[in-house]
Amino acid sequence: LTGYYESAERWLIDRYLPRELDVVELGGGLGFVSCYVDALLDANCTQIAVEADDDLVDIIKRIRDLNDGDFAISHRAYHPERDVVGFRRGEIPTTGSVATDGAEIEVSAVSLAELVSEFDLEEFSLIADVEGAESTLVAEELAVLEEHCRVLVIEYHHPNERRDSEIDRTLRSAGFTHVDHVGSVFVYENVGCF
């Protein structure tokens, strides 16, 4: 990989991701960010990478094992309400998304609230690269974010979902502060309850 792959995420993670917190990653992709984060976290942290595309899950496992990684991989799609969703693979392997029409496969789904319960997470950082489901994540799981998420690293995939967007205003009203961004990747800290 060249130095450009996920460079915005790496730069922001280096500066803002607390090493002592558990991490949930929604949209594990190729596992690059997962392995990068794994190398930074304290040994006692829980880390979960959630990925819907079964082909990518196999790649994440291989990348994790090649890097002696120690994080959980959950083969599920993110969705706040459904147990099963349609998933459409993208033209590029890392651009697949939950689909309401034209889905290629059905995938088990999991909400952020379910992950908090399943992995017994009290406080965590969230890395969200959910290919267009950012507004759903913030709108539907705001209470979970407010209560448990100290740092949010989120990649916006639509030009209107950036600074001063509805998502941004919702996060700010819930006690999150926009602390930095590189391109379409934003970092928020939850100052409201921590």
Side-chain angles (χ1 to χ4, degrees), residues 16-28:
Y16 300 105
L17 194 78
R19 303 327 193 231
E20 74 282 0
L21 281 186
D22 297 333
V23 172
V24 174
E25 181 185 4
L26 299 177

Side-chain angles (χ1 to χ4, degrees), residues 88-185:
R88 180 178 36 239
R89 291 184 169 96
E91 290 180 26
I92 300 170
T94 56
T95 61
S97 62
V98 171
T100 54
D101 61 340
E104 295 176 24
I105 56 174
E106 286 193 342
V107 180
S108 295
V110 65
S111 69
L112 188 56
E114 289 169 325
L115 290 167
V116 167
S117 177
E118 180 179 334
F119 289 93
D120 196 27
L121 303 172
E122 288 296 320
E123 184 179 4
F124 60 86
S125 298
L126 175 63
I127 301 170
D129 186 356
V130 287
E131 302 303 322
E134 297 85 11
S135 58
T136 301
L137 170 66
V138 171
E140 299 296 325
E141 304 227 49
L142 188 60
V144 176
L145 293 171
E146 284 179 291
E147 185 175 344
H148 298 282
C149 181
R150 188 192 312 169
V151 175
L152 171 62
V153 180
I154 186 167
E155 182 173 355
Y156 294 129
H157 290 86
H158 300 294
N160 61 340
E161 292 181 339
R162 298 198 181 162
R163 192 164 190 179
D164 296 323
S165 69
E166 185 64 32
I167 296 171
D168 185 74
R169 287 189 295 276
T170 300
L171 286 168
R172 289 172 190 254
S173 71
F176 285 84
T177 300
H178 168 241
V179 293
D180 206 349
H181 70 278
V182 176
S184 61
V185 183

Side-chain angles (χ1 to χ4, degrees), residues 63-105:
I63 298 293
R64 178 194 61 191
D65 294 346
L66 286 170
N67 286 280
D68 294 321
D70 183 27
F71 57 90
I73 301 168
S74 178
H75 177 208
R76 295 182 278 189
Y78 167 74
H79 198 281
E81 299 169 342
R82 297 184 187 155
D83 293 330
V84 176
V85 294
F87 182 77
R88 180 178 36 239
R89 291 184 169 96
E91 290 180 26
I92 300 170
T94 56
T95 61
S97 62
V98 171
T100 54
D101 61 340
E104 295 176 24
I105 56 174

Side-chain angles (χ1 to χ4, degrees), residues 7-85:
S7 60
E9 288 85 346
R10 285 183 290 134
W11 193 88
L12 293 166
I13 286 167
D14 280 342
R15 282 151 187 80
Y16 300 105
L17 194 78
R19 303 327 193 231
E20 74 282 0
L21 281 186
D22 297 333
V23 172
V24 174
E25 181 185 4
L26 299 177
L30 296 172
F32 179 80
V33 170
S34 306
C35 288
Y36 191 78
V37 167
D38 183 58
L40 297 175
L41 292 180
D42 292 348
N44 61 338
C45 291
T46 298
Q47 178 185 356
I48 307 104
V50 178
E51 176 55 52
D53 190 326
D54 53 342
D55 292 338
L56 293 181
V57 168
D58 291 339
I59 291 170
I60 296 170
K61 288 177 183 175
R62 281 184 284 181
I63 298 293
R64 178 194 61 191
D65 294 346
L66 286 170
N67 286 280
D68 294 321
D70 183 27
F71 57 90
I73 301 168
S74 178
H75 177 208
R76 295 182 278 189
Y78 167 74
H79 198 281
E81 299 169 342
R82 297 184 187 155
D83 293 330
V84 176
V85 294

